[in-house]
Amino acid sequence: SGNSGKNNARSRPVSLQVAFMEPNGLRHRECKIHDTRLAGRNGEKEEVIGIAFNLEGDLLAVVSLLTPADSESSTQHKEYGKVQLYHRSNYHWYLKYELRFDDKVENEGVNTSGSVSVIKFSDEDPYRLMIALDRRGSTLPENALEWREYAFRWESSTIHYSQHTIVGKSPNSPNVLALSIDGKTLNFTPLDKAIVPPPMYAASLELPAPVIGITSRPCFQHEITGNNSDDSNNKPSHEEEMSRVELIVALADGSFALLKNGVGKSKESLTPGFSPPTLLTTFDLSTLVFSNKMEGGDISPEYLAFNGMKLRDMTIIDASEDSFTIIAASSPQGTRGRHHFHDNLVEIKISWASLENGERERLDLQISACVPLKGRVLRIVNWSDTALVTGARWSALIELADGMLLDYFSGGMVDCSKAGALLEPCPWLAGLYDAKIDTTSLTPSADVLGHDEPSKRLAFGLSSRYRLYCGERLLSSASTSFAVSLEHKFLSHITLGSRPQQRFLPLASLRDFDPFMGSDENEALDGYEARSVERGARLIAIFPMKPMCVIQMPRGNLESISPRALVLPYIMMKIDEGDYFTALDIMRRQRVDMNLIVDLDPFHFLEKGGAELFIGQIDKIDNINLFLSSLIDVDTTIWKYPIPSWRKKERRDGRRDETSKVNLVCTKMREVMIHAENKGITSSGKIVKEGHFLLPILSSYAKQNPPMLEEALALIKSNAPKNLGNQSKRKSVLLSESVQSSIQYLAFLADYELIFNTAIGMYDFDLAKAVARHSQMDPKVYLPMLKRWREMPDSMARYEVDVKLKRYESALRHLVAAGRDEDQTSNAEHISKCLKFIESQGLHKLGLELFANESEFLQSIMVSLGERLLTENRAEEALTVFLATSPKCIDGGKRAASACGDWRAYFACCAEGSDSADGDDSMTSISVKIAENISSRGGNMNEQRDCYASAARILLDYGKDVGYAVDMFISGHMYNEGRRISYLHKRTDLVKKCVDAAVSYANTCIEDLAERASSFEVASKRYYEVIKIRRQAIKEAEEAGIDPHLDDSASLFSMQSTASNSSLRSTASGSSVGSTRSVASVSTVISVGATSTFSFTGDVDTMKHKSKFNKIGRDKPKKKKKKKGPAARRMKPGSEEELKSLVDTLKFSIPNDPYLVAISETVTFLMQSGKSPLAKLLFQAYEDLSSAVTKEQKSRSEKDKQDIEERGRFAHIEGRIDEFAEHDCEKDVNELECKFLPESIRNIFSFLS
């Protein structure tokens, strides 16, 4: 509710205010009513006659009636009405607009002033106001009553971007200036210098009348390049640029004010370095226009409305140092019985020459054009790329109330816009004249200025329903505000909803959008690196030259943020430009991984002078150390900061191996720093002293993989004498403050113990003492140790150091050198010590090199190596080493030959090592053992045949046991060879034994082949059913986006297969599971990951005892005992496990190559031994198996083909595509077949059949 505090004195001696009362009667703030009486009319009496609130409660309309001091004597000034509109923000009421109804043309004596009789806000649109005027006291009685309707547009921000932002200068005038209207006061806040929360401000300017509109001067392309054909010889000086006119302000009394940049220091500004704009002059547009047109004698009717109250949406389309060309919309004055539903578009050129403050005589105005439009003007804006495109000058984008877009060109030319149309009227509008211009460079090049490609215009609009459009494309269904930033190449907007975000849409993706390419081919509307913001926030400004933006919270306070979407491209741009100082500074502030400096273009940084520029620009040593310490062997542009697709800079294809990136960068940086110290100057011209880059060089050594700590300590030691200074001569230079600080810094990068070990590894015990001084090591431990090493001979001291550091090869070298340097009484002692060290550390290779000239010790090392290989189960290598010694180690050779199964080498060693014949009994027993050992080895059928053949050979050659040898041949199914040996040794009894064995094996094979044929038929039929289930499972799994091979039951994907699965039994597995288990598996799979792991610490069972007072063991469900035996091994029908078992059965039913060879040889042997009927049966059994396999394969293939065709027909009838899903095992199963027996056998039976 609102109450108007009225004063009985109509002359208003005190300020008026609207007080707000709570329902309980307490007062809750107030709105002070501004005294906006014009100069010279201070005697007017003002009376508040009414107030009104809009629908949302943020607009307050205050209606006043002003009466001259002496109404009876005044003939020119009658009483008139006034409406003031106040807006609430951050607990402050701003006077944003004022309507005065004292219209008059003094020259004619015509007075159309009127009072406000009724005022009302719309119940639907909170920014639509309806006013009823009473003009019965005017000199035009035919217009006694008048009804007016005003539609206001609330701008979330009024920001003036100075052209010095693009030119690159840094004047006192701000680059991003925020303006706020509060009655007669215009408040200024330089956002790039200070974020002053409203209603406070940095500076203000009071004007003669309330401000109702502001127009800022855009930056045009000719002002940047200096290519202005009109005044190219009159280029303004820097002082003139600083003091030129930047703003046009419309006032409530119908006049205008020109504001220029502030120069020098201002006492009114609260922000250091900020000079607010100052008032240059004010002028009444209607008076000046009338004076120009009255020379002809008549006043054109359309000029009657040219005053500050009637002109709206003023836009500057051209500017120079002494003139503006503006366009504005004007509504024609309605009369009785005649209403106008269109606007006129007026182009006016305002010129001045060296105006001083308040001077008006030298101001000249010229109306260039007045064009009637076909509707009401909703919005007029400049093109956002006026600073980059020449054609954007003398042009503007116009939107009518019906949403139609028009292009305006100087001289009154209006045409339909090439940017297309928006889907609905959008009060907030922005446009790009040529979206094809590359905005990477802010200084247009020659080819850009003269390009022949047709321009592509874009229009962005935000409707009153908060829908954001780019032409006919909906970008967001709910956005509060938006802004176009050409410098950052983004369209940024803030969304509404439960999760509001500030989103950044690349202009390149919006420009290249093709509606016919589909959603996958176009940029996502989520934008690049969206940032969450507070609900209801509005975008105020985006800094052109900084990765920052300012947003306003719903309460009204301001916040400056640096979104990742602005920071990352800005850093990439600075790295491409070689500005490493700015890039590194922003990275530090915004916590961006510094690896991006290298990863963005490694070739440029390492090969094209990037490292030199980096060292030359970075002054702080700590920043270089920070960069080096953050290096990792990962390309951050792949996973952390992907390079946007709309960045046009191409990277080299030849990328270096990322695993060596850190080493390459550290080496390059170290080379550059050492070179700069040697020359005494960096690439940027900065003078440096020797040792200036000591800490960064140490960082580069410590960061490498592996760390080069030895080189780092050597560098510290080499710099120690140069930094001696006033150090005492008795004190070691390694204990000086500079050396100790360097060691402490190195210890910050690496562990003290590691540095100490590196120091003693350099055998520099003084340096090791200096390192250990500030460590946590106990002096009682390291001081005696260092003292003892100093007193020992160098070789022995180094030997002990190497053993401590586990550098055993170096230790062995120093141990050998120590034995050679000292005159030892017993050389055997030294050799024994060396041999023990070699054996304990496995240094046989190095030992052979060091003792190559000592044959006795060399033989001992070789034997030791053989024994080591033998213990490591490398018997073949050990055998070679034992026999390579001089003399040979026969005993070791035997053991190695026996271990590796090389019976030929074993018997050779036995023959070579026997001094006298011990008799055949010993050799026979040995040969039998070896033969049995070889024949008992496992493996496939081929390997077993070879083992039996070798065992038979040993028994014949060394055991002289023909019968046992023939048994080995029979075991390997080599009946022909057994028969040959039997006849060779005239053992006919063994021949019959071979025939009987072949007969027995043939009968076994006949039974096995018949069983294989039966198993293949059963498994093939079941395989046909299971493979259909698995195909359906694969298809449904692909649709669900999961791996079909991870399930354990086909019922997860196909529940209809459960009933059929319960009746199927697998011959291969011999077990199955019913549908109950299959259904249960569904819930198990679905509930994966839903199990809670939360538990109370106090409920651990082991912490309590069981009793009747707690529930331990009482309410726990009893665990079901797992089934044991065959039931535990049952597999689920239709599962991957069953399919795998069936495939294995099918493959096993096909005889492999060794089995086929055995059958062939058995058939041939039986034919040659007079067993033709049995041989024929064996042959026929194999042929039957082959026929059964072929028949089943063909039958299954035909049924599978019919099923596929049938599914295809059903899918065609249903209007869908049936995609065939093939299992991985199908190809192998379809290729199964029995190989043919040898052609000679088939030919023989063709003759005998």
Side-chain angles (χ1 to χ4, degrees):
S1 63
N3 291 331
S4 175
K6 300 180 183 179
N7 192 0
N8 294 329
R10 294 169 59 88
S11 60
R12 192 176 183 179
V14 295
S15 62
L16 301 178
Q17 61 184 12
V18 177
F20 304 103
M21 311 299 293
E22 295 181 358
N24 56 10
L26 297 179
R27 179 170 176 170
H28 188 78
R29 297 187 179 274
E30 64 282 332
C31 171
K32 295 182 179 180
I33 299 177
H34 291 229
D35 183 8
T36 60
R37 289 175 293 179
L38 303 179
R41 298 188 185 183
N42 293 330
E44 289 181 336
K45 299 179 181 179
E46 181 178 2
E47 180 181 3
V48 177
I49 60 176
I51 61 173
F53 283 94
N54 71 336
L55 184 64
E56 295 182 354
D58 59 347
L59 277 185
L60 170 65
V62 178
V63 183
S64 302
L65 180 64
L66 286 87
T67 307
D70 189 1
S71 58
E72 296 180 356
S73 61
S74 177
T75 60
Q76 294 183 351
H77 300 285
K78 301 293 182 180
E79 64 177 10
Y80 61 92
K82 181 176 68 174
V83 177
Q84 293 180 337
L85 295 177
Y86 293 86
H87 180 268
R88 184 192 73 252
S89 178
N90 214 9
Y91 306 104
H92 179 76
W93 288 87
Y94 295 85
L95 174 56
K96 290 297 183 182
Y97 207 89
E98 182 176 282
L99 295 171
R100 291 174 176 266
F101 303 103
D102 58 342
D103 303 336
K104 58 188 178 302
V105 182
E106 297 179 357
N107 301 70
E108 293 292 325
V110 179
N111 193 324
T112 59
S113 300
S115 61
V116 178
S117 58
V118 178
I119 182 171
K120 176 179 175 54
F121 281 98
S122 172
D123 294 335
E124 297 178 356
D125 188 350
Y127 296 105
R128 187 173 295 275
L129 179 65
M130 291 158 283
I131 299 176
L133 296 179
D134 184 2
R135 299 185 183 275
R136 283 175 291 186
S138 65
T139 57
L140 297 175
E142 67 275 7
N143 295 332
L145 299 177
E146 183 177 343
W147 177 267
R148 292 191 180 188
E149 186 174 338
Y150 294 88
F152 294 93
R153 179 184 65 245
W154 176 255
E155 296 289 348
S156 60
S157 64
T158 302
I159 304 297
H160 172 55
Y161 296 97
S162 173
Q163 76 164 7
H164 305 291
T165 301
I166 301 178
V167 174
K169 300 176 183 178
S170 299
N172 290 332
S173 60
N175 293 332
V176 183
L177 180 63
L179 299 94
S180 176
I181 299 174
D182 192 7
K184 293 183 179 181
T185 305
L186 193 59
N187 302 328
F188 304 101
T189 299
L191 298 179
D192 57 331
K193 297 182 182 297
I195 304 296
V196 181
M200 296 182 290
Y201 45 84
S204 63
L205 178 64
E206 187 171 354
L207 297 171
V211 179
I212 60 174
I214 304 173
T215 301
S216 63
R217 170 182 184 156
C219 181
F220 294 100
Q221 187 267 337
H222 72 276
E223 296 177 331
I224 301 175
T225 60
N227 298 328
N228 188 0
S229 58
D230 298 337
D231 52 357
S232 58
N233 296 327
N234 299 324
K235 187 174 180 179
S237 62
H238 178 68
E239 290 75 10
E240 293 176 347
E241 290 182 1
M242 295 302 101
S243 60
R244 66 182 179 182
V245 177
E246 293 286 347
L247 300 170
I248 300 179
V249 179
L251 303 180
D253 61 350
S255 63
F256 295 87
L258 297 180
L259 305 184
K260 66 177 181 178
N261 279 333
V263 181
K265 296 182 179 180
S266 175
K267 297 181 180 179
E268 299 178 358
S269 174
L270 301 178
T271 304
F274 168 55
S275 296
T278 58
L279 177 63
L280 178 62
T281 185
T282 60
F283 61 92
D284 191 341
L285 183 62
S286 59
T287 304
L288 293 174
V289 171
F290 293 157
S291 64
N292 289 341
K293 295 298 178 181
M294 285 184 63
E295 296 178 0
D298 295 329
I299 301 178
S300 181
E302 58 266 22
Y303 297 146
L304 290 173
F306 292 169
N307 60 66
M309 295 292 295
K310 298 299 188 296
L311 295 181
R312 67 180 190 276
D313 277 325
M314 287 194 305
T315 304
I316 301 174
I317 62 173
D318 188 25
S320 62
E321 299 305 318
D322 55 359
S323 67
F324 279 160
T325 300
I326 64 173
I327 60 173
S330 174
S331 299
Q333 181 71 33
T335 58
R336 179 186 295 264
R338 182 181 178 185
H339 302 279
H340 301 281
F341 297 97
H342 69 277
D343 287 340
N344 294 329
L345 194 64
V346 184
E347 179 181 335
I348 305 174
K349 185 174 183 180
I350 305 174
S351 304
W352 61 89
S354 302
L355 284 175
E356 297 180 359
N357 293 343
E359 186 178 0
R360 301 181 183 178
E361 289 76 9
R362 307 185 65 181
L363 192 68
D364 182 36
L365 289 92
Q366 179 181 358
I367 300 177
S368 304
C370 180
V371 181
L373 301 176
K374 295 182 180 181
R376 295 288 187 184
V377 174
L378 181 61
R379 188 68 188 269
I380 304 176
V381 294
N382 288 109
W383 297 102
S384 298
D385 52 353
T386 55
L388 300 175
V389 184
T390 306
R393 185 184 179 188
W394 303 297
S395 176
L397 180 62
I398 303 174
E399 183 184 11
L400 301 183
D402 58 358
M404 182 179 182
L405 295 180
L406 303 175
D407 290 343
Y408 178 82
F409 300 95
S410 181
M413 296 177 58
V414 180
D415 195 3
C416 291
S417 177
K418 295 181 180 179
L422 301 174
L423 294 183
E424 61 178 309
C426 296
W428 299 275
L429 187 68
L432 293 179
Y433 188 85
D434 190 356
K436 291 186 177 181
I437 295 295
D438 185 12
T439 60
T440 303
S441 175
L442 296 178
T443 304
S445 57
D447 56 343
V448 171
L449 297 177
H451 73 290
D452 297 329
E453 296 183 7
S455 62
K456 182 174 182 179
R457 297 179 188 175
L458 292 179
F460 311 100
L462 182 64
S463 69
S464 57
R465 296 185 178 182
Y466 305 109
R467 296 191 184 105
L468 181 62
Y469 296 95
C470 175
E472 296 181 349
R473 184 186 185 189
L474 178 64
L475 301 181
S476 173
S477 59
S479 293
T480 61
S481 55
F482 77 97
V484 177
S485 176
L486 294 180
E487 293 77 15
H488 298 287
K489 295 181 279 189
F490 281 120
L491 168 68
S492 178
H493 65 99
I494 295 180
T495 63
L496 288 169
S498 59
R499 295 182 179 180
Q501 292 179 327
Q502 183 181 7
R503 298 181 179 178
F504 299 85
L505 305 182
L507 294 176
S509 64
L510 298 177
R511 174 196 63 196
D512 301 332
F513 169 72
D514 188 353
F516 300 103
M517 294 300 294
S519 59
D520 294 338
E521 299 294 333
N522 296 291
E523 190 77 17
L525 294 183
D526 290 341
Y528 176 71
E529 295 284 345
R531 178 191 176 103
S532 299
V533 295
E534 186 177 343
R535 184 184 302 178
R538 292 178 178 270
L539 181 60
I540 300 301
I542 299 178
F543 290 8
M545 302 306 294
K546 294 181 181 180
M548 294 177 61
C549 63
V550 178
I551 59 176
Q552 188 173 21
M553 300 297 105
R555 298 176 299 278
N557 55 309
L558 302 178
E559 288 187 6
S560 63
I561 60 175
S562 296
R564 271 293 195 262
L566 298 181
V567 171
L568 294 179
Y570 186 79
I571 291 174
M572 293 179 184
M573 179 186 68
K574 289 300 179 182
I575 294 174
D576 291 338
E577 295 174 354
D579 188 359
Y580 294 103
F581 177 82
T582 304
L584 187 67
D585 182 64
I586 296 177
M587 284 180 167
R588 288 178 58 252
R589 296 175 185 272
Q590 301 300 328
R591 297 183 180 180
V592 178
D593 194 339
M594 295 184 182
N595 283 272
L596 186 61
I597 294 177
V598 181
D599 295 336
L600 188 63
D601 194 347
F603 181 81
H604 180 270
F605 187 83
L606 296 174
E607 305 294 340
K608 294 297 182 180
E612 288 79 359
L613 286 175
F614 184 88
I615 295 299
Q617 294 177 8
I618 306 302
D619 296 329
K620 292 186 177 180
I621 298 299
D622 293 342
N623 291 344
I624 302 177
N625 293 329
L626 184 62
F627 165 72
L628 291 173
S629 62
S630 65
L631 292 174
I632 56 174
D633 280 328
V634 178
D635 189 355
T636 55
T637 61
I638 295 178
W639 64 279
K640 196 172 186 179
Y641 306 124
I643 297 180
S645 58
W646 36 267
R647 279 183 58 87
K648 293 187 177 181
K649 184 175 178 60
E650 297 181 357
R651 304 176 67 184
R652 289 183 171 270
D653 296 334
R655 296 296 302 267
R656 296 181 180 271
D657 186 9
E658 289 301 327
T659 57
S660 61
K661 183 188 80 173
V662 174
N663 291 346
L664 289 174
V665 175
C666 289
T667 303
K668 181 64 178 179
M669 294 284 288
R670 186 165 57 248
E671 292 175 355
V672 173
M673 290 184 287
I674 293 176
H675 179 73
E677 284 189 355
N678 294 336
K679 290 184 63 177
I681 188 172
T682 63
S683 60
S684 61
K686 182 178 64 176
I687 305 298
V688 294
K689 298 180 181 180
E690 192 171 359
H692 177 75
F693 295 111
L694 175 61
L695 297 184
I697 294 176
L698 294 178
S699 299
S700 67
Y701 280 127
K703 188 62 181 178
Q704 287 202 211
N705 187 21
M708 302 175 65
L709 297 180
E710 187 172 340
E711 290 79 359
L713 291 175
L715 178 64
I716 294 175
K717 186 177 180 180
S718 63
N719 285 347
K722 304 173 185 178
N723 299 326
L724 185 58
N726 298 327
Q727 188 75 19
S728 175
K729 294 183 179 180
R730 293 184 178 181
K731 192 175 181 181
S732 174
V733 294
L734 297 177
L735 300 179
S736 62
E737 183 178 354
S738 60
V739 174
Q740 288 297 311
S741 62
S742 301
I743 293 176
Q744 290 178 5
Y745 176 76
L746 188 61
F748 172 75
L749 304 174
D751 186 55
Y752 254 120
E753 184 177 359
L754 181 60
I755 300 175
F756 177 77
N757 291 337
T758 304
I760 63 176
M762 299 170 62
Y763 315 114
D764 192 336
F765 304 126
D766 293 335
L767 183 60
K769 181 180 178 181
V771 170
R773 184 180 182 186
H774 292 284
S775 66
Q776 300 297 325
M777 299 178 63
D778 189 358
K780 296 179 180 180
V781 176
Y782 71 83
L783 288 178
M785 180 177 61
L786 296 177
K787 181 179 179 182
R788 183 170 61 86
W789 285 341
R790 288 194 189 96
E791 296 173 353
M792 293 175 63
D794 290 343
S795 298
M796 287 304 297
R798 294 184 178 187
Y799 163 74
E800 291 195 2
V801 169
D802 292 335
V803 171
K804 176 179 175 58
L805 299 180
K806 298 182 180 180
R807 301 189 303 193
Y808 299 115
E809 291 188 0
S810 178
L812 180 59
R813 294 180 186 275
H814 289 125
L815 181 60
V816 173
R820 293 173 180 173
D821 294 342
E822 299 179 2
D823 296 333
Q824 296 186 4
T825 56
S826 176
N827 190 34
E829 245 182 69
H830 174 68
I831 291 177
S832 176
K833 186 176 181 180
C834 291
L835 182 60
K836 288 181 180 179
F837 189 76
I838 290 173
E839 292 176 350
S840 62
Q841 305 301 332
L843 301 175
H844 298 87
K845 180 180 179 180
L846 181 59
L848 293 175
E849 294 178 2
L850 297 176
F851 295 97
N853 298 327
E854 300 182 18
S855 57
E856 295 181 2
F857 192 42
L858 191 64
Q859 197 266 348
S860 300
I861 296 175
M862 290 287 287
V863 172
S864 175
L865 176 60
E867 295 293 344
R868 184 181 185 86
L869 293 174
L870 198 57
T871 56
E872 295 175 356
N873 295 327
R874 299 162 64 181
E876 293 181 359
E877 301 173 15
L879 175 61
T880 304
V881 171
F882 281 130
L883 298 181
T885 59
S886 180
K888 296 181 179 179
C889 183
I890 300 299
D891 182 65
K894 288 181 181 181
R895 288 184 285 110
S898 177
C900 67
D902 191 351
W903 57 273
R904 295 176 178 83
Y906 181 84
F907 285 108
C909 290
C910 290
E912 188 175 357
S914 59
D915 297 334
S916 61
D918 297 334
D920 295 337
D921 294 339
S922 177
M923 184 59 69
T924 300
S925 61
I926 293 175
S927 63
V928 171
K929 291 180 180 180
I930 294 177
E932 291 177 351
N933 186 23
I934 293 176
S935 63
S936 62
R937 293 178 181 176
N940 55 37
M941 199 168 182
N942 275 338
E943 293 175 352
Q944 290 179 358
R945 286 169 62 91
D946 293 339
C947 290
Y948 284 123
S950 299
R953 175 55 55 190
I954 293 172
L955 293 172
L956 287 174
D957 293 346
Y958 298 99
K960 309 300 182 182
D961 190 346
V962 179
Y964 204 176
V966 171
D967 289 341
M968 291 295 179
F969 284 123
I970 291 174
S971 299
H973 309 301
M974 293 177 286
Y975 307 109
N976 288 325
E977 185 66 15
R979 182 180 58 181
R980 184 187 70 81
I981 296 299
S982 300
Y983 279 121
L984 178 63
H985 293 277
K986 299 179 181 181
R987 295 287 302 273
T988 55
D989 57 325
L990 297 178
V991 175
K992 185 177 183 304
K993 188 176 183 180
C994 291
V995 175
D996 293 341
V999 171
S1000 176
Y1001 181 68
N1003 291 325
T1004 304
C1005 289
I1006 291 172
E1007 295 177 0
D1008 179 67
L1009 293 176
E1011 185 178 354
R1012 286 176 183 250
S1014 176
S1015 299
F1016 189 88
E1017 292 177 0
V1018 176
S1020 178
K1021 289 181 174 58
R1022 178 56 185 164
Y1023 169 79
Y1024 174 71
E1025 298 294 333
V1026 174
I1027 197 64
K1028 291 196 299 183
I1029 297 174
R1030 299 315 306 162
R1031 288 174 182 168
Q1032 183 66 20
I1034 292 175
K1035 184 182 298 185
E1036 296 182 8
E1038 290 177 351
E1039 293 176 357
I1042 60 177
D1043 188 358
H1045 302 295
L1046 295 179
D1047 73 303
D1048 196 32
S1049 173
S1051 60
L1052 173 63
F1053 304 100
S1054 179
M1055 296 298 297
Q1056 62 184 0
S1057 66
T1058 305
S1060 61
N1061 289 342
S1062 61
S1063 62
L1064 298 177
R1065 297 294 184 268
S1066 173
T1067 305
S1069 62
S1071 63
S1072 68
V1073 178
S1075 60
T1076 304
R1077 292 291 298 272
S1078 298
V1079 173
S1081 66
V1082 176
S1083 61
T1084 303
V1085 176
I1086 294 176
S1087 62
V1088 168
T1091 305
S1092 175
T1093 58
F1094 180 82
S1095 64
F1096 290 99
T1097 307
D1099 285 350
V1100 180
D1101 293 348
T1102 57
M1103 303 295 291
K1104 296 181 179 180
H1105 69 282
K1106 293 185 178 181
S1107 69
K1108 64 180 181 179
F1109 300 106
N1110 58 43
K1111 297 182 179 181
I1112 296 179
R1114 186 177 67 187
D1115 297 334
K1116 287 186 176 180
K1118 295 182 179 180
K1119 296 183 178 179
K1120 295 182 179 180
K1121 295 182 179 181
K1122 295 184 178 179
K1123 295 182 179 180
K1124 297 182 180 179
R1129 297 189 296 270
R1130 290 177 181 174
M1131 63 184 70
K1132 296 179 177 63
S1135 63
E1136 280 288 327
E1137 184 181 2
E1138 183 185 6
L1139 179 62
K1140 183 179 179 182
S1141 176
L1142 292 172
V1143 172
D1144 293 340
T1145 302
L1146 293 174
K1147 290 182 178 180
F1148 178 76
S1149 300
I1150 307 299
N1152 54 15
D1153 292 341
Y1155 194 16
L1156 183 62
V1157 171
I1159 293 175
S1160 302
E1161 292 182 356
T1162 304
V1163 170
T1164 303
F1165 180 78
L1166 291 175
M1167 291 291 294
Q1168 296 174 0
S1169 301
K1171 303 293 182 180
S1172 299
L1174 184 59
K1176 186 175 182 180
L1177 290 176
L1178 180 57
F1179 173 78
Q1180 190 61 41
Y1182 185 83
E1183 291 297 321
D1184 292 343
L1185 173 62
S1186 178
S1187 300
V1189 170
T1190 304
K1191 180 181 178 181
E1192 284 297 328
Q1193 292 284 79
K1194 183 177 180 181
S1195 175
R1196 190 180 69 252
S1197 177
E1198 291 177 353
K1199 289 192 294 183
D1200 197 13
K1201 184 178 180 180
Q1202 292 176 0
D1203 290 343
I1204 294 175
E1205 292 177 355
E1206 185 176 359
R1207 287 199 306 270
R1209 287 195 300 271
F1210 280 112
H1212 181 70
I1213 294 173
E1214 296 175 358
R1216 57 183 177 85
I1217 299 176
D1218 182 52
E1219 298 181 356
F1220 178 73
E1222 184 178 11
H1223 199 278
D1224 297 338
C1225 68
E1226 291 191 58
K1227 184 177 180 182
D1228 296 337
V1229 174
N1230 294 335
E1231 294 177 354
L1232 291 177
E1233 62 178 359
C1234 292
K1235 294 185 178 180
F1236 293 109
L1237 290 171
E1239 186 177 359
S1240 59
I1241 297 177
R1242 290 186 285 111
N1243 291 337
I1244 291 174
F1245 284 102
S1246 66
F1247 297 147
L1248 299 178
S1249 59

